[in-house]
Amino acid sequence: MSSQLALYNKVRKYILDGTVDFDTDTIKCALVTSGYTFDATDEIWGDVSANEVDAVASPGNGYTTGGEELTGVTLTEITSPPSVVLDCDDIIWESLTATFKYAVLYAEVTRNGVVNPLIGCVLLDYEGGGSIVVNGVDYRIQISASGLLSLA
């Protein structure tokens, strides 16, 4: 079984009105604690950020406030069935020491009056066992071979 990306409600609007531009924007993935409960009506990173893994309290824990920037971002047009696939490299935190439950994707941009619009959230603990606890290990979020997100 794999974890699924749950989209925030406004992301479709953000894509269509140009608030989020996957070709030019910095897309980030932040780790979020169990203090957060996914709410599809959240709109901006500020709705979630209070529950981010605390990089300040634990300097050298392998986490940077705001999360990791997605690298290798590509958009590929598929002709049959007609769709566009967003893909990126796996996301890796080196020597991470943290406790978290979610990975939240957002665009680090201010556009159309929206500051850091949310894209989607992944429940990393998809088997329901609680938070993930890592201590000084490289933690990887492996992106599916079929991409991060497909819009048909």
CSV table of all heavy atoms in Angstrom, one decimal, residues 80-120:
chain,number,residue,atom,x,y,z
A,80,SER,N,-2.9,10.2,-24.5
A,80,SER,CA,-4.0,9.3,-24.4
A,80,SER,C,-3.9,8.5,-23.1
A,80,SER,O,-2.9,7.7,-22.9
A,80,SER,CB,-4.0,8.3,-25.5
A,80,SER,OG,-5.1,7.4,-25.4
A,81,PRO,N,-4.8,8.7,-22.1
A,81,PRO,CA,-5.8,9.7,-22.2
A,81,PRO,C,-5.2,11.1,-21.9
A,81,PRO,O,-4.2,11.2,-21.3
A,81,PRO,CB,-6.7,9.3,-21.0
A,81,PRO,CG,-5.8,8.6,-20.0
A,81,PRO,CD,-4.8,7.9,-20.9
A,82,PRO,N,-5.8,12.1,-22.4
A,82,PRO,CA,-5.3,13.5,-22.3
A,82,PRO,C,-5.1,13.9,-20.8
A,82,PRO,O,-6.0,13.8,-20.0
A,82,PRO,CB,-6.3,14.4,-23.0
A,82,PRO,CG,-7.2,13.5,-23.8
A,82,PRO,CD,-7.1,12.1,-23.1
A,83,SER,N,-3.8,14.2,-20.5
A,83,SER,CA,-3.5,14.6,-19.1
A,83,SER,C,-2.2,15.2,-19.1
A,83,SER,O,-1.4,15.2,-20.1
A,83,SER,CB,-3.5,13.4,-18.2
A,83,SER,OG,-2.6,12.4,-18.6
A,84,VAL,N,-1.8,15.8,-18.0
A,84,VAL,CA,-0.5,16.4,-17.7
A,84,VAL,C,0.0,15.8,-16.4
A,84,VAL,O,-0.8,15.7,-15.4
A,84,VAL,CB,-0.6,17.9,-17.6
A,84,VAL,CG1,0.8,18.5,-17.2
A,84,VAL,CG2,-1.0,18.5,-18.9
A,85,VAL,N,1.2,15.3,-16.4
A,85,VAL,CA,1.8,14.7,-15.2
A,85,VAL,C,2.9,15.6,-14.7
A,85,VAL,O,3.8,16.0,-15.4
A,85,VAL,CB,2.4,13.3,-15.6
A,85,VAL,CG1,3.1,12.7,-14.3
A,85,VAL,CG2,1.3,12.4,-16.0
A,86,LEU,N,2.7,15.9,-13.4
A,86,LEU,CA,3.8,16.6,-12.6
A,86,LEU,C,4.6,15.6,-12.0
A,86,LEU,O,4.1,14.7,-11.3
A,86,LEU,CB,3.1,17.5,-11.6
A,86,LEU,CG,4.1,18.1,-10.6
A,86,LEU,CD1,5.0,19.2,-11.2
A,86,LEU,CD2,3.3,18.8,-9.4
A,87,ASP,N,5.9,15.7,-12.2
A,87,ASP,CA,6.9,14.7,-11.6
A,87,ASP,C,8.0,15.5,-11.0
A,87,ASP,O,8.2,16.7,-11.2
A,87,ASP,CB,7.4,13.7,-12.6
A,87,ASP,CG,8.0,12.5,-12.0
A,87,ASP,OD1,7.9,12.3,-10.8
A,87,ASP,OD2,8.5,11.6,-12.8
A,88,CYS,N,8.8,14.8,-10.1
A,88,CYS,CA,9.9,15.4,-9.5
A,88,CYS,C,10.8,14.3,-8.9
A,88,CYS,O,10.4,13.1,-8.9
A,88,CYS,CB,9.6,16.4,-8.3
A,88,CYS,SG,8.8,15.6,-6.9
A,89,ASP,N,12.0,14.6,-8.5
A,89,ASP,CA,12.9,13.7,-7.9
A,89,ASP,C,12.4,13.3,-6.5
A,89,ASP,O,11.5,14.0,-5.9
A,89,ASP,CB,14.3,14.3,-7.7
A,89,ASP,CG,15.0,14.7,-9.0
A,89,ASP,OD1,14.7,14.0,-10.0
A,89,ASP,OD2,15.8,15.6,-9.0
A,90,ASP,N,12.8,12.2,-6.0
A,90,ASP,CA,12.5,11.8,-4.6
A,90,ASP,C,12.9,13.0,-3.7
A,90,ASP,O,13.9,13.7,-4.0
A,90,ASP,CB,13.2,10.5,-4.2
A,90,ASP,CG,12.7,9.3,-4.9
A,90,ASP,OD1,11.7,9.4,-5.6
A,90,ASP,OD2,13.3,8.2,-4.7
A,91,ILE,N,12.2,13.1,-2.6
A,91,ILE,CA,12.5,14.2,-1.6
A,91,ILE,C,13.3,13.5,-0.5
A,91,ILE,O,12.9,12.6,0.1
A,91,ILE,CB,11.2,14.8,-1.1
A,91,ILE,CG1,10.4,15.3,-2.3
A,91,ILE,CG2,11.6,16.0,-0.2
A,91,ILE,CD1,8.9,15.5,-2.0
A,92,ILE,N,14.5,14.1,-0.2
A,92,ILE,CA,15.3,13.5,0.8
A,92,ILE,C,15.8,14.5,1.9
A,92,ILE,O,16.2,15.6,1.5
A,92,ILE,CB,16.6,12.9,0.2
A,92,ILE,CG1,16.2,11.9,-0.9
A,92,ILE,CG2,17.5,12.3,1.2
A,92,ILE,CD1,17.4,11.5,-1.8
A,93,TRP,N,15.7,14.1,3.1
A,93,TRP,CA,16.3,14.9,4.2
A,93,TRP,C,17.4,14.0,4.7
A,93,TRP,O,17.3,12.9,5.1
A,93,TRP,CB,15.3,15.1,5.4
A,93,TRP,CG,14.2,16.1,5.0
A,93,TRP,CD1,14.2,17.4,5.3
A,93,TRP,CD2,13.0,15.9,4.4
A,93,TRP,NE1,13.1,18.0,4.9
A,93,TRP,CE2,12.3,17.1,4.3
A,93,TRP,CE3,12.4,14.7,3.8
A,93,TRP,CZ2,11.1,17.2,3.7
A,93,TRP,CZ3,11.1,14.9,3.2
A,93,TRP,CH2,10.5,16.1,3.1
A,94,GLU,N,18.6,14.6,4.8
A,94,GLU,CA,19.8,13.9,5.2
A,94,GLU,C,20.0,14.0,6.7
A,94,GLU,O,19.8,15.1,7.3
A,94,GLU,CB,21.0,14.4,4.5
A,94,GLU,CG,21.0,14.1,3.0
A,94,GLU,CD,22.2,14.6,2.3
A,94,GLU,OE1,23.1,15.1,2.9
A,94,GLU,OE2,22.2,14.4,1.0
A,95,SER,N,20.3,12.9,7.4
A,95,SER,CA,20.6,12.9,8.8
A,95,SER,C,19.5,13.5,9.6
A,95,SER,O,19.7,14.3,10.5
A,95,SER,CB,21.9,13.5,9.2
A,95,SER,OG,23.0,12.9,8.5
A,96,LEU,N,18.2,13.2,9.3
A,96,LEU,CA,17.1,13.8,9.9
A,96,LEU,C,16.8,13.1,11.3
A,96,LEU,O,16.8,11.9,11.4
A,96,LEU,CB,15.8,13.6,9.0
A,96,LEU,CG,14.5,14.1,9.5
A,96,LEU,CD1,14.6,15.7,9.6
A,96,LEU,CD2,13.4,13.7,8.6
A,97,THR,N,16.5,14.0,12.2
A,97,THR,CA,16.0,13.6,13.5
A,97,THR,C,14.8,14.4,13.8
A,97,THR,O,14.8,15.6,13.9
A,97,THR,CB,17.1,13.9,14.7
A,97,THR,OG1,18.2,13.1,14.4
A,97,THR,CG2,16.5,13.5,16.0
A,98,ALA,N,13.6,13.7,13.7
A,98,ALA,CA,12.3,14.4,13.8
A,98,ALA,C,11.2,13.4,14.0
A,98,ALA,O,11.3,12.2,13.8
A,98,ALA,CB,12.1,15.2,12.5
A,99,THR,N,10.1,13.9,14.5
A,99,THR,CA,8.8,13.2,14.6
A,99,THR,C,7.8,13.9,13.8
A,99,THR,O,7.6,15.1,14.0
A,99,THR,CB,8.4,13.1,16.1
A,99,THR,OG1,9.4,12.5,16.9
A,99,THR,CG2,7.1,12.4,16.3
A,100,PHE,N,7.1,13.2,12.9
A,100,PHE,CA,6.2,13.9,12.0
A,100,PHE,C,5.2,12.9,11.5
A,100,PHE,O,5.3,11.7,11.6
A,100,PHE,CB,6.9,14.5,10.8
A,100,PHE,CG,7.9,13.5,10.1
A,100,PHE,CD1,7.5,12.8,9.0
A,100,PHE,CD2,9.2,13.4,10.6
A,100,PHE,CE1,8.3,11.8,8.4
A,100,PHE,CE2,10.1,12.5,10.0
A,100,PHE,CZ,9.6,11.7,8.9
A,101,LYS,N,4.1,13.4,10.8
A,101,LYS,CA,3.0,12.5,10.3
A,101,LYS,C,2.7,12.8,8.9
A,101,LYS,O,2.2,11.9,8.2
A,101,LYS,CB,1.8,12.7,11.2
A,101,LYS,CG,0.7,11.6,11.0
A,101,LYS,CD,-0.3,11.6,12.1
A,101,LYS,CE,-1.2,10.5,11.8
A,101,LYS,NZ,-2.1,10.2,13.0
A,102,TYR,N,2.9,14.1,8.5
A,102,TYR,CA,2.4,14.5,7.1
A,102,TYR,C,3.6,15.1,6.4
A,102,TYR,O,4.5,15.7,6.9
A,102,TYR,CB,1.3,15.5,7.2
A,102,TYR,CG,0.1,15.1,7.9
A,102,TYR,CD1,-0.1,15.4,9.3
A,102,TYR,CD2,-0.9,14.4,7.3
A,102,TYR,CE1,-1.3,15.0,10.0
A,102,TYR,CE2,-2.1,14.0,7.9
A,102,TYR,CZ,-2.2,14.3,9.3
A,102,TYR,OH,-3.4,13.9,9.9
A,103,ALA,N,3.5,15.1,5.0
A,103,ALA,CA,4.3,15.9,4.2
A,103,ALA,C,3.3,16.8,3.4
A,103,ALA,O,2.3,16.4,2.9
A,103,ALA,CB,5.0,15.0,3.2
A,104,VAL,N,3.6,18.1,3.5
A,104,VAL,CA,2.7,19.1,2.9
A,104,VAL,C,3.4,19.8,1.8
A,104,VAL,O,4.6,20.3,2.0
A,104,VAL,CB,2.2,20.1,3.9
A,104,VAL,CG1,1.4,21.2,3.3
A,104,VAL,CG2,1.3,19.4,5.0
A,105,LEU,N,2.8,19.9,0.6
A,105,LEU,CA,3.4,20.6,-0.6
A,105,LEU,C,2.7,21.9,-0.7
A,105,LEU,O,1.5,22.1,-0.6
A,105,LEU,CB,3.1,19.8,-1.8
A,105,LEU,CG,3.8,18.4,-1.9
A,105,LEU,CD1,3.3,17.7,-3.2
A,105,LEU,CD2,5.3,18.5,-1.9
A,106,TYR,N,3.6,22.9,-1.0
A,106,TYR,CA,3.1,24.3,-1.2
A,106,TYR,C,4.0,25.0,-2.1
A,106,TYR,O,5.2,24.6,-2.3
A,106,TYR,CB,2.9,25.0,0.1
A,106,TYR,CG,4.2,25.4,0.8
A,106,TYR,CD1,4.8,26.6,0.7
A,106,TYR,CD2,4.8,24.4,1.7
A,106,TYR,CE1,5.9,26.9,1.4
A,106,TYR,CE2,6.0,24.8,2.3
A,106,TYR,CZ,6.5,26.0,2.2
A,106,TYR,OH,7.7,26.3,2.8
A,107,ALA,N,3.5,26.1,-2.8
A,107,ALA,CA,4.3,26.9,-3.6
A,107,ALA,C,4.8,28.1,-2.8
A,107,ALA,O,4.1,28.8,-2.1
A,107,ALA,CB,3.5,27.4,-4.8
A,108,GLU,N,6.2,28.3,-2.8
A,108,GLU,CA,6.8,29.4,-2.1
A,108,GLU,C,6.7,30.6,-3.0
A,108,GLU,O,7.7,30.9,-3.7
A,108,GLU,CB,8.2,29.0,-1.7
A,108,GLU,CG,8.8,30.1,-0.8
A,108,GLU,CD,10.2,29.6,-0.3
A,108,GLU,OE1,11.1,29.5,-1.2
A,108,GLU,OE2,10.3,29.5,0.9
A,109,VAL,N,5.6,31.3,-3.0
A,109,VAL,CA,5.3,32.4,-4.0
A,109,VAL,C,4.2,33.2,-3.4
A,109,VAL,O,3.3,32.7,-2.6
A,109,VAL,CB,5.0,31.9,-5.4
A,109,VAL,CG1,3.6,31.1,-5.4
A,109,VAL,CG2,5.0,33.0,-6.4
A,110,THR,N,4.2,34.5,-3.7
A,110,THR,CA,3.0,35.4,-3.5
A,110,THR,C,2.5,35.8,-4.8
A,110,THR,O,3.3,36.5,-5.6
A,110,THR,CB,3.4,36.6,-2.6
A,110,THR,OG1,3.9,36.1,-1.3
A,110,THR,CG2,2.2,37.5,-2.4
A,111,ARG,N,1.3,35.5,-5.1
A,111,ARG,CA,0.7,35.8,-6.4
A,111,ARG,C,-0.8,35.9,-6.3
A,111,ARG,O,-1.4,35.1,-5.6
A,111,ARG,CB,1.1,34.8,-7.5
A,111,ARG,CG,0.8,35.2,-8.9
A,111,ARG,CD,1.3,34.2,-10.0
A,111,ARG,NE,2.7,34.1,-10.0
A,111,ARG,CZ,3.4,33.0,-9.9
A,111,ARG,NH1,2.8,31.9,-9.6
A,111,ARG,NH2,4.7,33.0,-10.0
A,112,ASN,N,-1.4,36.9,-7.0
A,112,ASN,CA,-2.8,37.1,-6.9
A,112,ASN,C,-3.3,37.3,-5.5
A,112,ASN,O,-4.4,36.9,-5.1
A,112,ASN,CB,-3.6,35.9,-7.6
A,112,ASN,CG,-3.3,35.8,-9.0
A,112,ASN,OD1,-3.0,36.8,-9.7
A,112,ASN,ND2,-3.3,34.6,-9.6
A,113,GLY,N,-2.5,37.9,-4.6
A,113,GLY,CA,-2.8,38.2,-3.3
A,113,GLY,C,-2.8,36.9,-2.3
A,113,GLY,O,-3.2,37.0,-1.2
A,114,VAL,N,-2.3,35.8,-2.9
A,114,VAL,CA,-2.2,34.6,-2.1
A,114,VAL,C,-0.7,34.3,-1.7
A,114,VAL,O,0.2,34.3,-2.6
A,114,VAL,CB,-2.7,33.4,-2.9
A,114,VAL,CG1,-2.7,32.1,-2.0
A,114,VAL,CG2,-4.2,33.7,-3.3
A,115,VAL,N,-0.4,34.1,-0.4
A,115,VAL,CA,0.9,33.9,0.1
A,115,VAL,C,1.1,32.4,0.3
A,115,VAL,O,0.5,31.9,1.2
A,115,VAL,CB,1.2,34.7,1.4
A,115,VAL,CG1,2.6,34.5,1.9
A,115,VAL,CG2,1.0,36.2,1.1
A,116,ASN,N,2.1,31.8,-0.4
A,116,ASN,CA,2.4,30.4,-0.2
A,116,ASN,C,1.2,29.5,-0.3
A,116,ASN,O,0.8,28.8,0.7
A,116,ASN,CB,3.2,30.2,1.1
A,116,ASN,CG,4.5,31.0,1.2
A,116,ASN,OD1,5.1,31.3,0.1
A,116,ASN,ND2,4.9,31.4,2.3
A,117,PRO,N,0.6,29.4,-1.5
A,117,PRO,CA,-0.6,28.5,-1.6
A,117,PRO,C,-0.3,27.0,-1.4
A,117,PRO,O,0.7,26.5,-1.9
A,117,PRO,CB,-1.1,28.8,-3.0
A,117,PRO,CG,0.1,29.4,-3.7
A,117,PRO,CD,1.0,30.0,-2.7
A,118,LEU,N,-1.2,26.4,-0.8
A,118,LEU,CA,-1.1,24.9,-0.5
A,118,LEU,C,-1.5,24.2,-1.8
A,118,LEU,O,-2.4,24.6,-2.5
A,118,LEU,CB,-2.0,24.5,0.6
A,118,LEU,CG,-1.7,25.0,2.0
A,118,LEU,CD1,-2.7,24.6,3.0
A,118,LEU,CD2,-0.3,24.4,2.4
A,119,ILE,N,-0.8,23.0,-2.0
A,119,ILE,CA,-1.0,22.1,-3.1
A,119,ILE,C,-1.7,20.8,-2.6
A,119,ILE,O,-2.8,20.5,-3.0
A,119,ILE,CB,0.3,21.9,-3.9
A,119,ILE,CG1,0.8,23.2,-4.5
A,119,ILE,CG2,0.0,20.8,-5.0
A,119,ILE,CD1,2.2,23.1,-5.0
A,120,GLY,N,-1.0,20.1,-1.8
A,120,GLY,CA,-1.5,18.8,-1.3
A,120,GLY,C,-0.8,18.3,-0.1
A,120,GLY,O,0.2,18.9,0.4
